[in-house]
Amino acid sequence: PKSRRSKEFICTISDDRGEEAHYCGYPISSVATPDTGFTIGDVMSILWFKKRYPRWAVDFLETVLKTVADHGPAVSGAHNAKVTARAGKDVISSLIAGLLTIGPRFGGAIDGAAKYFKYAEDNKLSPKEFLAYMKKEGVPIPGIGHRIKSLKNPDLRVEGLKKFAKENFPSTPLLDYALTVEQLTTSKKENLILNVDGTIGILMVDMWRSLAYSDEEIDVFIDAGALNAFFILGRSIGFIGHILDEKRLAMPMYRHPMDDILYDVQKAPEL
Ligand code: ACO
Ligand code: LMR
C-alpha cells in the first residue's frame, strides 16, 4: 500500500479546492445571494457549528449579534478603540485594541455564565447553594451585575432576548433557573441583575439543548469559547463604527487629563 504523508492541518468546515469554495458543503454561490434563503445567521451556524439550524435558532443568533453590536462610546472596548484610533492607528490595530478588553468583566462573561449556571442546574443547586458555591470558588458570578443597569434601570436588551426566547424557543429551563438566582442576587443589591452576557450564555445552552446537543457537546463549545465569540463578532461592528467616527471627525491624539489622576509616587529613598 502507498504510504500517505501525514497532514499538518485538518479542516472540517470549508473547502477551497475546485472551481468554487464551499462552506460546510454549500458552494458560496448557494449561500451568498439573498434569493437562496441563507442569512448571515445560517452562515454562522454552518461555519461555527457545522449544522444548518432551524429558523428560530438562526433568528436567535442574529438577534444576539444585533443586540450586542454597540453600547455607546464609554464602555471599555469602545474607549480603547477610540483612543487607539486617535493615536493615529489603523482600523485593524484600533479594532484589536478594543477587542482585547473583552473578558471576564466586560462582554466576555458569556462562556462563564453558561458554564456555572449549567453546573448549578445540572447539580440541582438551589439559588442559595449556588451563591455559596460561587463564593467558595472566589469569583463573581459571570452573567450577574452591571455598572449602570439595575432593577430600577432595567436593561432592555435583556428584556428583548428573554421575550424572543419565550416566544420562539421550545423551552427555556436554564433561563427559568437563572431568573430564580437573579431574584436572590437583586435582593442583596439592586444592580446584581442577570446581565446581557448572562442572558446570552444561558439562552444558548437552552437553544442547544432544544437542538438535541448532548451535555458533552455543549461543554466542548463552552470550553472552546464559542459563546464569547458572539460578543466578539457582534461588538466588532460597533468598534469599527467608533473607529470610523474618529477618522471622520479627524480627532486629535487623546491625552488623559492629569487632574483626573491621583499621582501617589513615593520619592526614591536615596534622594
Ligand atoms: N457576583 C457576585 N457579587 C457581585 C457580582 C457578581 N457577578 N458583581 C458585583 N458583585 C458585588 C461585589 O462583590 C461587590 O460587593 P461588596 O460591595 O460587598 O464588595 C459589589 O457587588 C460591587 O461590586 P463591583 O465590582 O464594584 O461592581 P461593579 O458595578 O463595578 O461591577 C461588573 C460590574 C464588573 C459587571 C460586575 O458585576 C461583574 O464582575 N460581574 C460579573 C461579570 C459579568 O457578568 N460581566 C459582564 C457584564 S455585561 C457586559 O459587559 C456586556
Ligand atoms: C456593554 O454592552 O458594553 C455593556 O453592557 C457594558 C456597559 O457598561 O454598558
Side-chain angles (χ1 to χ4, degrees), residues 68 71 103-110 113 139-148 155 157 185 189 191-192 195-198 231 235:
V68 302
H71 209 232
R105 292 186 181 154
F106 167 66
I110 310 183
V139 282
I141 304 168
I144 292 285
H146 199 276
R147 256 299 156 88
I148 59 172
D155 191 334
R157 298 172 297 177
T185 53
K189 212 162 174 278
N191 74 327
L192 295 183
N195 63 36
V196 72
D197 277 14
F231 193 92
R235 189 54 64 92

PDB file of all heavy atoms in Angstrom, residues 68 71 103-110 113 139-148 155 157 185 189 191-192 195-198 231 235, ligand 1:
ATOM      1  N   VAL A  68     -25.871  43.016  20.623  1.00  0.00           N
ATOM      2  CA  VAL A  68     -24.591  43.400  21.246  1.00  0.00           C
ATOM      3  C   VAL A  68     -23.732  44.294  20.351  1.00  0.00           C
ATOM      4  O   VAL A  68     -22.604  44.619  20.714  1.00  0.00           O
ATOM      5  CB  VAL A  68     -23.748  42.163  21.696  1.00  0.00           C
ATOM      6  CG1 VAL A  68     -24.533  41.305  22.677  1.00  0.00           C
ATOM      7  CG2 VAL A  68     -23.255  41.340  20.513  1.00  0.00           C
ATOM      8  N   HIS A  71     -22.736  49.521  22.506  1.00  0.00           N
ATOM      9  CA  HIS A  71     -23.364  50.058  23.720  1.00  0.00           C
ATOM     10  C   HIS A  71     -22.725  51.392  24.078  1.00  0.00           C
ATOM     11  O   HIS A  71     -22.398  51.655  25.231  1.00  0.00           O
ATOM     12  CB  HIS A  71     -23.286  49.070  24.893  1.00  0.00           C
ATOM     13  CG  HIS A  71     -24.428  49.228  25.867  1.00  0.00           C
ATOM     14  ND1 HIS A  71     -24.258  49.390  27.218  1.00  0.00           N
ATOM     15  CD2 HIS A  71     -25.761  49.263  25.665  1.00  0.00           C
ATOM     16  CE1 HIS A  71     -25.448  49.505  27.807  1.00  0.00           C
ATOM     17  NE2 HIS A  71     -26.380  49.424  26.875  1.00  0.00           N
ATOM     18  N   GLY A 103     -13.511  40.338  28.113  1.00  0.00           N
ATOM     19  CA  GLY A 103     -13.037  39.316  29.039  1.00  0.00           C
ATOM     20  C   GLY A 103     -14.002  39.163  30.193  1.00  0.00           C
ATOM     21  O   GLY A 103     -15.164  39.551  30.078  1.00  0.00           O
ATOM     22  N   PRO A 104     -13.505  38.651  31.320  1.00  0.00           N
ATOM     23  CA  PRO A 104     -14.424  38.238  32.393  1.00  0.00           C
ATOM     24  C   PRO A 104     -15.307  39.348  32.956  1.00  0.00           C
ATOM     25  O   PRO A 104     -16.374  39.084  33.487  1.00  0.00           O
ATOM     26  CB  PRO A 104     -13.491  37.696  33.474  1.00  0.00           C
ATOM     27  CG  PRO A 104     -12.133  38.171  33.114  1.00  0.00           C
ATOM     28  CD  PRO A 104     -12.116  38.380  31.629  1.00  0.00           C
ATOM     29  N   ARG A 105     -14.878  40.592  32.816  1.00  0.00           N
ATOM     30  CA  ARG A 105     -15.723  41.679  33.342  1.00  0.00           C
ATOM     31  C   ARG A 105     -16.576  42.319  32.267  1.00  0.00           C
ATOM     32  O   ARG A 105     -17.704  42.726  32.525  1.00  0.00           O
ATOM     33  CB  ARG A 105     -14.853  42.757  33.985  1.00  0.00           C
ATOM     34  CG  ARG A 105     -14.188  42.269  35.232  1.00  0.00           C
ATOM     35  CD  ARG A 105     -13.445  43.365  35.953  1.00  0.00           C
ATOM     36  NE  ARG A 105     -12.808  42.828  37.135  1.00  0.00           N
ATOM     37  CZ  ARG A 105     -11.731  43.332  37.712  1.00  0.00           C
ATOM     38  NH1 ARG A 105     -11.166  44.405  37.197  1.00  0.00           N
ATOM     39  NH2 ARG A 105     -11.235  42.773  38.784  1.00  0.00           N
ATOM     40  N   PHE A 106     -16.008  42.444  31.088  1.00  0.00           N
ATOM     41  CA  PHE A 106     -16.687  43.172  30.011  1.00  0.00           C
ATOM     42  C   PHE A 106     -16.920  42.254  28.800  1.00  0.00           C
ATOM     43  O   PHE A 106     -15.954  41.852  28.141  1.00  0.00           O
ATOM     44  CB  PHE A 106     -15.843  44.396  29.600  1.00  0.00           C
ATOM     45  CG  PHE A 106     -16.270  45.033  28.310  1.00  0.00           C
ATOM     46  CD1 PHE A 106     -17.503  45.659  28.196  1.00  0.00           C
ATOM     47  CD2 PHE A 106     -15.447  44.997  27.190  1.00  0.00           C
ATOM     48  CE1 PHE A 106     -17.904  46.228  26.993  1.00  0.00           C
ATOM     49  CE2 PHE A 106     -15.834  45.573  25.992  1.00  0.00           C
ATOM     50  CZ  PHE A 106     -17.068  46.185  25.890  1.00  0.00           C
ATOM     51  N   GLY A 107     -18.174  41.915  28.563  1.00  0.00           N
ATOM     52  CA  GLY A 107     -18.561  41.228  27.324  1.00  0.00           C
ATOM     53  C   GLY A 107     -18.120  39.780  27.192  1.00  0.00           C
ATOM     54  O   GLY A 107     -18.663  39.044  26.376  1.00  0.00           O
ATOM     55  N   GLY A 108     -17.168  39.386  28.005  1.00  0.00           N
ATOM     56  CA  GLY A 108     -16.634  38.021  27.862  1.00  0.00           C
ATOM     57  C   GLY A 108     -17.006  37.116  29.026  1.00  0.00           C
ATOM     58  O   GLY A 108     -16.264  36.191  29.368  1.00  0.00           O
ATOM     59  N   ALA A 109     -18.176  37.397  29.609  1.00  0.00           N
ATOM     60  CA  ALA A 109     -18.629  36.545  30.726  1.00  0.00           C
ATOM     61  C   ALA A 109     -19.647  35.517  30.234  1.00  0.00           C
ATOM     62  O   ALA A 109     -20.305  34.854  31.036  1.00  0.00           O
ATOM     63  CB  ALA A 109     -19.237  37.422  31.825  1.00  0.00           C
ATOM     64  N   ILE A 110     -19.777  35.398  28.925  1.00  0.00           N
ATOM     65  CA  ILE A 110     -20.867  34.572  28.368  1.00  0.00           C
ATOM     66  C   ILE A 110     -20.570  33.078  28.565  1.00  0.00           C
ATOM     67  O   ILE A 110     -21.414  32.319  29.041  1.00  0.00           O
ATOM     68  CB  ILE A 110     -21.089  34.902  26.875  1.00  0.00           C
ATOM     69  CG1 ILE A 110     -21.218  36.422  26.681  1.00  0.00           C
ATOM     70  CG2 ILE A 110     -22.320  34.188  26.365  1.00  0.00           C
ATOM     71  CD1 ILE A 110     -21.522  36.862  25.264  1.00  0.00           C
ATOM     72  N   ALA A 113     -20.827  32.289  32.268  1.00  0.00           N
ATOM     73  CA  ALA A 113     -22.218  32.230  32.733  1.00  0.00           C
ATOM     74  C   ALA A 113     -22.829  30.884  32.331  1.00  0.00           C
ATOM     75  O   ALA A 113     -23.466  30.207  33.152  1.00  0.00           O
ATOM     76  CB  ALA A 113     -23.020  33.383  32.137  1.00  0.00           C
ATOM     77  N   VAL A 139     -15.072  33.664  42.742  1.00  0.00           N
ATOM     78  CA  VAL A 139     -15.246  34.533  41.562  1.00  0.00           C
ATOM     79  C   VAL A 139     -16.647  35.135  41.563  1.00  0.00           C
ATOM     80  O   VAL A 139     -17.610  34.485  41.976  1.00  0.00           O
ATOM     81  CB  VAL A 139     -15.064  33.771  40.209  1.00  0.00           C
ATOM     82  CG1 VAL A 139     -13.608  33.559  39.899  1.00  0.00           C
ATOM     83  CG2 VAL A 139     -15.822  32.460  40.184  1.00  0.00           C
ATOM     84  N   PRO A 140     -16.760  36.394  41.090  1.00  0.00           N
ATOM     85  CA  PRO A 140     -18.100  36.953  40.933  1.00  0.00           C
ATOM     86  C   PRO A 140     -18.869  36.084  39.936  1.00  0.00           C
ATOM     87  O   PRO A 140     -18.268  35.563  38.985  1.00  0.00           O
ATOM     88  CB  PRO A 140     -17.853  38.339  40.323  1.00  0.00           C
ATOM     89  CG  PRO A 140     -16.388  38.569  40.370  1.00  0.00           C
ATOM     90  CD  PRO A 140     -15.706  37.260  40.571  1.00  0.00           C
ATOM     91  N   ILE A 141     -20.161  35.953  40.131  1.00  0.00           N
ATOM     92  CA  ILE A 141     -20.939  35.082  39.242  1.00  0.00           C
ATOM     93  C   ILE A 141     -20.947  35.691  37.837  1.00  0.00           C
ATOM     94  O   ILE A 141     -21.476  36.796  37.633  1.00  0.00           O
ATOM     95  CB  ILE A 141     -22.401  34.943  39.735  1.00  0.00           C
ATOM     96  CG1 ILE A 141     -22.428  34.441  41.178  1.00  0.00           C
ATOM     97  CG2 ILE A 141     -23.192  34.012  38.827  1.00  0.00           C
ATOM     98  CD1 ILE A 141     -23.795  34.562  41.830  1.00  0.00           C
ATOM     99  N   PRO A 142     -20.357  34.977  36.852  1.00  0.00           N
ATOM    100  CA  PRO A 142     -20.377  35.526  35.490  1.00  0.00           C
ATOM    101  C   PRO A 142     -21.825  35.654  35.018  1.00  0.00           C
ATOM    102  O   PRO A 142     -22.634  34.748  35.223  1.00  0.00           O
ATOM    103  CB  PRO A 142     -19.634  34.474  34.660  1.00  0.00           C
ATOM    104  CG  PRO A 142     -18.892  33.634  35.635  1.00  0.00           C
ATOM    105  CD  PRO A 142     -19.679  33.671  36.903  1.00  0.00           C
ATOM    106  N   GLY A 143     -22.142  36.791  34.413  1.00  0.00           N
ATOM    107  CA  GLY A 143     -23.502  36.981  33.912  1.00  0.00           C
ATOM    108  C   GLY A 143     -24.411  37.695  34.889  1.00  0.00           C
ATOM    109  O   GLY A 143     -25.576  37.942  34.591  1.00  0.00           O
ATOM    110  N   ILE A 144     -23.871  38.037  36.056  1.00  0.00           N
ATOM    111  CA  ILE A 144     -24.648  38.782  37.054  1.00  0.00           C
ATOM    112  C   ILE A 144     -23.956  40.122  37.300  1.00  0.00           C
ATOM    113  O   ILE A 144     -22.733  40.159  37.436  1.00  0.00           O
ATOM    114  CB  ILE A 144     -24.758  37.984  38.384  1.00  0.00           C
ATOM    115  CG1 ILE A 144     -25.618  36.721  38.213  1.00  0.00           C
ATOM    116  CG2 ILE A 144     -25.292  38.860  39.522  1.00  0.00           C
ATOM    117  CD1 ILE A 144     -27.119  36.942  38.124  1.00  0.00           C
ATOM    118  N   GLY A 145     -24.749  41.192  37.347  1.00  0.00           N
ATOM    119  CA  GLY A 145     -24.202  42.501  37.724  1.00  0.00           C
ATOM    120  C   GLY A 145     -23.998  43.415  36.529  1.00  0.00           C
ATOM    121  O   GLY A 145     -23.718  42.962  35.413  1.00  0.00           O
ATOM    122  N   HIS A 146     -24.201  44.702  36.776  1.00  0.00           N
ATOM    123  CA  HIS A 146     -23.947  45.694  35.730  1.00  0.00           C
ATOM    124  C   HIS A 146     -23.598  47.017  36.372  1.00  0.00           C
ATOM    125  O   HIS A 146     -24.117  47.357  37.419  1.00  0.00           O
ATOM    126  CB  HIS A 146     -25.158  45.853  34.799  1.00  0.00           C
ATOM    127  CG  HIS A 146     -24.820  46.492  33.493  1.00  0.00           C
ATOM    128  ND1 HIS A 146     -24.745  47.862  33.331  1.00  0.00           N
ATOM    129  CD2 HIS A 146     -24.497  45.957  32.287  1.00  0.00           C
ATOM    130  CE1 HIS A 146     -24.407  48.128  32.078  1.00  0.00           C
ATOM    131  NE2 HIS A 146     -24.249  46.993  31.418  1.00  0.00           N
ATOM    132  N   ARG A 147     -22.699  47.769  35.725  1.00  0.00           N
ATOM    133  CA  ARG A 147     -22.280  49.068  36.231  1.00  0.00           C
ATOM    134  C   ARG A 147     -23.435  50.049  36.321  1.00  0.00           C
ATOM    135  O   ARG A 147     -23.571  50.768  37.307  1.00  0.00           O
ATOM    136  CB  ARG A 147     -21.222  49.649  35.301  1.00  0.00           C
ATOM    137  CG  ARG A 147     -19.812  49.582  35.783  1.00  0.00           C
ATOM    138  CD  ARG A 147     -19.599  50.347  37.066  1.00  0.00           C
ATOM    139  NE  ARG A 147     -18.441  49.846  37.797  1.00  0.00           N
ATOM    140  CZ  ARG A 147     -17.208  50.278  37.599  1.00  0.00           C
ATOM    141  NH1 ARG A 147     -16.954  51.175  36.698  1.00  0.00           N
ATOM    142  NH2 ARG A 147     -16.231  49.787  38.313  1.00  0.00           N
ATOM    143  N   ILE A 148     -24.275  50.109  35.289  1.00  0.00           N
ATOM    144  CA  ILE A 148     -25.334  51.145  35.305  1.00  0.00           C
ATOM    145  C   ILE A 148     -26.746  50.576  35.242  1.00  0.00           C
ATOM    146  O   ILE A 148     -27.691  51.284  35.560  1.00  0.00           O
ATOM    147  CB  ILE A 148     -25.131  52.188  34.168  1.00  0.00           C
ATOM    148  CG1 ILE A 148     -25.134  51.530  32.791  1.00  0.00           C
ATOM    149  CG2 ILE A 148     -23.837  52.977  34.371  1.00  0.00           C
ATOM    150  CD1 ILE A 148     -25.137  52.549  31.641  1.00  0.00           C
ATOM    151  N   ASP A 155     -32.214  46.591  31.893  1.00  0.00           N
ATOM    152  CA  ASP A 155     -31.524  46.501  30.604  1.00  0.00           C
ATOM    153  C   ASP A 155     -32.522  45.977  29.572  1.00  0.00           C
ATOM    154  O   ASP A 155     -32.880  44.790  29.592  1.00  0.00           O
ATOM    155  CB  ASP A 155     -30.310  45.571  30.740  1.00  0.00           C
ATOM    156  CG  ASP A 155     -29.404  45.649  29.521  1.00  0.00           C
ATOM    157  OD1 ASP A 155     -29.908  45.991  28.430  1.00  0.00           O
ATOM    158  OD2 ASP A 155     -28.199  45.378  29.663  1.00  0.00           O
ATOM    159  N   ARG A 157     -32.155  45.338  26.564  1.00  0.00           N
ATOM    160  CA  ARG A 157     -31.618  44.277  25.698  1.00  0.00           C
ATOM    161  C   ARG A 157     -31.931  42.909  26.292  1.00  0.00           C
ATOM    162  O   ARG A 157     -32.281  41.957  25.595  1.00  0.00           O
ATOM    163  CB  ARG A 157     -30.097  44.424  25.557  1.00  0.00           C
ATOM    164  CG  ARG A 157     -29.654  45.708  24.919  1.00  0.00           C
ATOM    165  CD  ARG A 157     -28.147  45.866  25.001  1.00  0.00           C
ATOM    166  NE  ARG A 157     -27.669  45.955  26.367  1.00  0.00           N
ATOM    167  CZ  ARG A 157     -26.401  46.044  26.724  1.00  0.00           C
ATOM    168  NH1 ARG A 157     -25.461  46.027  25.794  1.00  0.00           N
ATOM    169  NH2 ARG A 157     -26.040  46.132  27.995  1.00  0.00           N
ATOM    170  N   THR A 185     -29.997  37.472  44.003  1.00  0.00           N
ATOM    171  CA  THR A 185     -28.879  38.442  43.954  1.00  0.00           C
ATOM    172  C   THR A 185     -29.397  39.882  44.001  1.00  0.00           C
ATOM    173  O   THR A 185     -28.818  40.729  44.682  1.00  0.00           O
ATOM    174  CB  THR A 185     -27.990  38.233  42.697  1.00  0.00           C
ATOM    175  OG1 THR A 185     -28.818  38.247  41.536  1.00  0.00           O
ATOM    176  CG2 THR A 185     -27.222  36.934  42.762  1.00  0.00           C
ATOM    177  N   LYS A 189     -28.488  43.307  46.249  1.00  0.00           N
ATOM    178  CA  LYS A 189     -28.011  44.573  45.686  1.00  0.00           C
ATOM    179  C   LYS A 189     -28.715  44.744  44.355  1.00  0.00           C
ATOM    180  O   LYS A 189     -28.709  43.824  43.532  1.00  0.00           O
ATOM    181  CB  LYS A 189     -26.496  44.471  45.462  1.00  0.00           C
ATOM    182  CG  LYS A 189     -25.754  45.737  45.614  1.00  0.00           C
ATOM    183  CD  LYS A 189     -24.257  45.507  45.823  1.00  0.00           C
ATOM    184  CE  LYS A 189     -23.554  46.843  45.824  1.00  0.00           C
ATOM    185  NZ  LYS A 189     -23.276  47.374  44.484  1.00  0.00           N
ATOM    186  N   ASN A 191     -28.218  46.197  41.588  1.00  0.00           N
ATOM    187  CA  ASN A 191     -27.592  46.117  40.251  1.00  0.00           C
ATOM    188  C   ASN A 191     -27.078  44.708  39.933  1.00  0.00           C
ATOM    189  O   ASN A 191     -26.469  44.489  38.904  1.00  0.00           O
ATOM    190  CB  ASN A 191     -26.465  47.155  40.104  1.00  0.00           C
ATOM    191  CG  ASN A 191     -25.231  46.766  40.881  1.00  0.00           C
ATOM    192  OD1 ASN A 191     -25.340  46.153  41.940  1.00  0.00           O
ATOM    193  ND2 ASN A 191     -24.073  47.111  40.363  1.00  0.00           N
ATOM    194  N   LEU A 192     -27.349  43.760  40.828  1.00  0.00           N
ATOM    195  CA  LEU A 192     -26.899  42.380  40.558  1.00  0.00           C
ATOM    196  C   LEU A 192     -27.954  41.643  39.729  1.00  0.00           C
ATOM    197  O   LEU A 192     -28.470  40.587  40.111  1.00  0.00           O
ATOM    198  CB  LEU A 192     -26.558  41.646  41.858  1.00  0.00           C
ATOM    199  CG  LEU A 192     -25.364  42.239  42.624  1.00  0.00           C
ATOM    200  CD1 LEU A 192     -25.036  41.409  43.861  1.00  0.00           C
ATOM    201  CD2 LEU A 192     -24.126  42.343  41.725  1.00  0.00           C
ATOM    202  N   ASN A 195     -27.339  39.950  33.554  1.00  0.00           N
ATOM    203  CA  ASN A 195     -26.956  40.935  32.542  1.00  0.00           C
ATOM    204  C   ASN A 195     -27.002  40.351  31.130  1.00  0.00           C
ATOM    205  O   ASN A 195     -27.378  39.187  30.935  1.00  0.00           O
ATOM    206  CB  ASN A 195     -25.580  41.541  32.903  1.00  0.00           C
ATOM    207  CG  ASN A 195     -24.463  40.510  32.911  1.00  0.00           C
ATOM    208  OD1 ASN A 195     -24.453  39.595  32.100  1.00  0.00           O
ATOM    209  ND2 ASN A 195     -23.511  40.671  33.827  1.00  0.00           N
ATOM    210  N   VAL A 196     -26.603  41.161  30.163  1.00  0.00           N
ATOM    211  CA  VAL A 196     -26.771  40.736  28.765  1.00  0.00           C
ATOM    212  C   VAL A 196     -25.865  39.536  28.455  1.00  0.00           C
ATOM    213  O   VAL A 196     -26.269  38.605  27.750  1.00  0.00           O
ATOM    214  CB  VAL A 196     -26.560  41.942  27.809  1.00  0.00           C
ATOM    215  CG1 VAL A 196     -25.125  42.375  27.727  1.00  0.00           C
ATOM    216  CG2 VAL A 196     -27.111  41.683  26.433  1.00  0.00           C
ATOM    217  N   ASP A 197     -24.651  39.523  29.022  1.00  0.00           N
ATOM    218  CA  ASP A 197     -23.769  38.362  28.819  1.00  0.00           C
ATOM    219  C   ASP A 197     -24.424  37.103  29.390  1.00  0.00           C
ATOM    220  O   ASP A 197     -24.446  36.044  28.745  1.00  0.00           O
ATOM    221  CB  ASP A 197     -22.430  38.555  29.558  1.00  0.00           C
ATOM    222  CG  ASP A 197     -21.435  39.397  28.770  1.00  0.00           C
ATOM    223  OD1 ASP A 197     -21.848  40.043  27.795  1.00  0.00           O
ATOM    224  OD2 ASP A 197     -20.244  39.409  29.151  1.00  0.00           O
ATOM    225  N   GLY A 198     -24.917  37.220  30.613  1.00  0.00           N
ATOM    226  CA  GLY A 198     -25.522  36.057  31.273  1.00  0.00           C
ATOM    227  C   GLY A 198     -26.716  35.542  30.490  1.00  0.00           C
ATOM    228  O   GLY A 198     -26.861  34.329  30.265  1.00  0.00           O
ATOM    229  N   PHE A 231     -20.192  37.777  21.216  1.00  0.00           N
ATOM    230  CA  PHE A 231     -19.961  39.176  21.606  1.00  0.00           C
ATOM    231  C   PHE A 231     -18.820  39.762  20.775  1.00  0.00           C
ATOM    232  O   PHE A 231     -18.886  40.911  20.320  1.00  0.00           O
ATOM    233  CB  PHE A 231     -19.644  39.273  23.105  1.00  0.00           C
ATOM    234  CG  PHE A 231     -19.702  40.680  23.629  1.00  0.00           C
ATOM    235  CD1 PHE A 231     -20.868  41.202  24.164  1.00  0.00           C
ATOM    236  CD2 PHE A 231     -18.580  41.511  23.574  1.00  0.00           C
ATOM    237  CE1 PHE A 231     -20.934  42.514  24.630  1.00  0.00           C
ATOM    238  CE2 PHE A 231     -18.630  42.822  24.041  1.00  0.00           C
ATOM    239  CZ  PHE A 231     -19.814  43.325  24.570  1.00  0.00           C
ATOM    240  N   ARG A 235     -19.818  42.886  18.641  1.00  0.00           N
ATOM    241  CA  ARG A 235     -19.307  44.180  19.091  1.00  0.00           C
ATOM    242  C   ARG A 235     -18.259  44.734  18.129  1.00  0.00           C
ATOM    243  O   ARG A 235     -18.036  45.951  18.095  1.00  0.00           O
ATOM    244  CB  ARG A 235     -18.772  44.065  20.521  1.00  0.00           C
ATOM    245  CG  ARG A 235     -18.420  45.400  21.180  1.00  0.00           C
ATOM    246  CD  ARG A 235     -19.590  46.404  21.148  1.00  0.00           C
ATOM    247  NE  ARG A 235     -20.763  46.002  21.900  1.00  0.00           N
ATOM    248  CZ  ARG A 235     -21.025  46.307  23.160  1.00  0.00           C
ATOM    249  NH1 ARG A 235     -20.182  47.053  23.824  1.00  0.00           N
ATOM    250  NH2 ARG A 235     -22.148  45.898  23.737  1.00  0.00           N
TER     251      ARG A 235
HETATM  252  N1  ACO B   1     -21.495  38.121  41.669  1.00  0.00           N
HETATM  253  C1  ACO B   1     -21.466  38.371  42.999  1.00  0.00           C
HETATM  254  N2  ACO B   1     -21.246  39.579  43.555  1.00  0.00           N
HETATM  255  C2  ACO B   1     -21.060  40.600  42.710  1.00  0.00           C
HETATM  256  C3  ACO B   1     -21.086  40.428  41.315  1.00  0.00           C
HETATM  257  C4  ACO B   1     -21.302  39.144  40.807  1.00  0.00           C
HETATM  258  N3  ACO B   1     -21.325  38.916  39.486  1.00  0.00           N
HETATM  259  N4  ACO B   1     -20.856  41.624  40.722  1.00  0.00           N
HETATM  260  C5  ACO B   1     -20.707  42.516  41.711  1.00  0.00           C
HETATM  261  N5  ACO B   1     -20.810  41.891  42.916  1.00  0.00           N
HETATM  262  C6  ACO B   1     -20.700  42.513  44.220  1.00  0.00           C
HETATM  263  C7  ACO B   1     -19.256  42.749  44.579  1.00  0.00           C
HETATM  264  O1  ACO B   1     -18.698  41.644  45.248  1.00  0.00           O
HETATM  265  C8  ACO B   1     -19.342  43.970  45.458  1.00  0.00           C
HETATM  266  O2  ACO B   1     -19.755  43.586  46.739  1.00  0.00           O
HETATM  267  P1  ACO B   1     -19.285  44.448  48.041  1.00  0.00           P
HETATM  268  O3  ACO B   1     -19.894  45.812  47.848  1.00  0.00           O
HETATM  269  O4  ACO B   1     -19.866  43.662  49.156  1.00  0.00           O
HETATM  270  O5  ACO B   1     -17.798  44.463  47.969  1.00  0.00           O
HETATM  271  C9  ACO B   1     -20.463  44.766  44.836  1.00  0.00           C
HETATM  272  O6  ACO B   1     -21.285  43.806  44.153  1.00  0.00           O
HETATM  273  C10 ACO B   1     -19.976  45.806  43.847  1.00  0.00           C
HETATM  274  O7  ACO B   1     -19.010  45.191  43.008  1.00  0.00           O
HETATM  275  P2  ACO B   1     -18.248  45.951  41.858  1.00  0.00           P
HETATM  276  O8  ACO B   1     -17.249  45.059  41.235  1.00  0.00           O
HETATM  277  O9  ACO B   1     -17.788  47.296  42.356  1.00  0.00           O
HETATM  278  O10 ACO B   1     -19.452  46.185  40.863  1.00  0.00           O
HETATM  279  P3  ACO B   1     -19.423  46.927  39.517  1.00  0.00           P
HETATM  280  O11 ACO B   1     -20.731  47.575  39.396  1.00  0.00           O
HETATM  281  O12 ACO B   1     -18.214  47.745  39.346  1.00  0.00           O
HETATM  282  O13 ACO B   1     -19.243  45.701  38.535  1.00  0.00           O
HETATM  283  C11 ACO B   1     -19.384  44.153  36.868  1.00  0.00           C
HETATM  284  C12 ACO B   1     -19.921  45.466  37.391  1.00  0.00           C
HETATM  285  C13 ACO B   1     -17.903  44.277  36.521  1.00  0.00           C
HETATM  286  C14 ACO B   1     -20.169  43.821  35.599  1.00  0.00           C
HETATM  287  C15 ACO B   1     -19.570  43.064  37.947  1.00  0.00           C
HETATM  288  O14 ACO B   1     -20.907  42.978  38.322  1.00  0.00           O
HETATM  289  C16 ACO B   1     -19.060  41.706  37.497  1.00  0.00           C
HETATM  290  O15 ACO B   1     -17.869  41.435  37.581  1.00  0.00           O
HETATM  291  N6  ACO B   1     -19.981  40.823  37.031  1.00  0.00           N
HETATM  292  C17 ACO B   1     -19.607  39.528  36.546  1.00  0.00           C
HETATM  293  C18 ACO B   1     -19.003  39.615  35.179  1.00  0.00           C
HETATM  294  C19 ACO B   1     -20.012  39.931  34.103  1.00  0.00           C
HETATM  295  O16 ACO B   1     -21.075  39.329  34.029  1.00  0.00           O
HETATM  296  N7  ACO B   1     -19.645  40.856  33.203  1.00  0.00           N
HETATM  297  C20 ACO B   1     -20.466  41.186  32.032  1.00  0.00           C
HETATM  298  C21 ACO B   1     -21.243  42.471  32.239  1.00  0.00           C
HETATM  299  S1  ACO B   1     -22.328  42.792  30.845  1.00  0.00           S
HETATM  300  C22 ACO B   1     -21.281  43.328  29.604  1.00  0.00           C
HETATM  301  O17 ACO B   1     -20.157  43.637  29.824  1.00  0.00           O
HETATM  302  C23 ACO B   1     -21.795  43.379  28.184  1.00  0.00           C
END
